[in-house]
Amino acid sequence: MWAMRSWLVEGEQVSVKCRPHPRILVWPITMGLLLIVAASAALAKLQSAQFASWAPGAAQLREPGIVLLLTAVLLIEIAYPVRRVIRWANTRYVLTNQRMVIRRGNLRRSQDDFVLARVQSVDMRQKLRQRMVGAGELDFHMVTGGVRTVHDVPHIQEFKNYTHEAWMKLFRASFQPAPGQGYYAEEVDPSESQSIGKEQRKLGREQ
């Protein structure tokens, strides 16, 4: 909670906090499992008896082949499936009453802010596979003309409703300024007010 408060501005409150929808992990995890299965089959072929049957006279290459295979599998697993899972685990979508925030990373952290007061409209998009799991894309149309997109938002309809509610509160507040001393361009001095009242009464008698 302390880490969360450290980047919130005064008066800012968190409405929703979540990760991207885990559907984005299906393909990386599938690829990782298939790679492990393929590596296991290759290791079986590199056992002494199997290796001697299909590569006679090359026994000296068996151990280097095993080391090369395991190293390649490990590097590929780290470069794709493991990296994607870590990226997903360290990504947060945070909606506050003032902005939409995308925070990525742990040691090397990056943060994208969409200030709701600068948003013109919010649209939701869903592909077929996203509709099946309730995920979707959320497009923030900025008043400057650009579009900022939050990808694979879980429970997209509910998230959009929270976003629209926060945006509408800011929109209404922009049309309700609080008048105070000095708010108007010119304020009438009390002595001038009395003089104006006398002139109005005089005009009324003349009419």
Side-chain angles (χ1 to χ4, degrees):
M1 182 61 68
W2 181 87
M4 177 70 71
R5 291 176 178 174
S6 65
W7 58 268
L8 293 175
V9 300
E10 184 177 357
E12 189 174 16
Q13 298 177 350
V14 174
S15 301
V16 183
K17 181 176 70 171
C18 63
R19 291 188 178 93
H21 197 283
R23 79 169 196 92
I24 63 177
L25 299 178
V26 171
W27 182 244
I29 291 177
T30 301
M31 289 293 295
L33 293 176
L34 290 175
L35 183 61
I36 291 174
V37 171
S40 299
L43 283 175
K45 289 291 185 180
L46 290 174
Q47 296 301 312
S48 299
Q50 291 283 340
F51 188 81
S53 64
W54 65 270
Q60 69 278 8
L61 298 178
R62 189 178 72 85
E63 291 186 3
I66 293 175
V67 174
L68 182 62
L69 173 65
L70 293 177
T71 302
V73 170
L74 180 62
L75 291 177
I76 295 173
E77 289 281 358
I78 293 175
Y80 185 60
V82 175
R83 183 182 177 186
R84 289 297 182 90
V85 172
I86 292 175
R87 181 188 299 177
W88 172 84
N90 289 310
T91 299
R92 293 289 189 281
Y93 296 157
V94 184
L95 175 67
T96 75
N97 59 339
Q98 298 185 27
R99 54 183 168 158
M100 174 70 208
V101 181
I102 303 176
R103 291 169 63 83
R104 299 184 181 91
N106 191 5
L107 298 178
R108 298 179 58 185
R109 175 159 290 175
S110 65
Q111 179 171 313
D112 294 332
D113 295 351
F114 310 161
V115 180
L116 296 180
R118 300 177 184 173
V119 173
Q120 186 175 11
S121 63
V122 181
D123 293 335
M124 180 185 76
R125 294 182 292 111
Q126 285 182 297
K127 299 176 182 178
L128 178 59
R129 287 175 295 179
Q130 290 176 324
R131 290 181 62 185
M132 294 173 63
V133 295
E137 317 288 318
L138 208 58
D139 292 333
F140 290 79
H141 297 264
M142 313 303 291
V143 294
T144 55
V147 179
R148 309 287 294 276
T149 301
V150 184
H151 299 281
D152 286 299
V153 180
H155 305 288
I156 182 65
Q157 185 62 59
E158 184 178 355
F159 198 100
K160 180 180 181 295
N161 292 340
Y162 279 113
T163 304
H164 189 265
E165 181 181 354
W167 176 72
M168 285 300 298
K169 286 182 179 179
L170 288 176
F171 182 75
R172 293 192 188 101
S174 66
F175 288 95
Q176 297 176 356
Q181 187 175 4
Y183 176 79
Y184 297 104
E186 295 182 1
E187 293 185 350
V188 180
D189 186 77
S191 60
E192 293 181 1
S193 178
Q194 294 177 0
S195 176
I196 292 172
K198 292 178 181 179
E199 292 293 333
Q200 289 176 341
R201 288 193 295 271
K202 182 178 178 182
L203 288 172
R205 288 194 299 269
E206 292 177 351
Q207 292 177 354

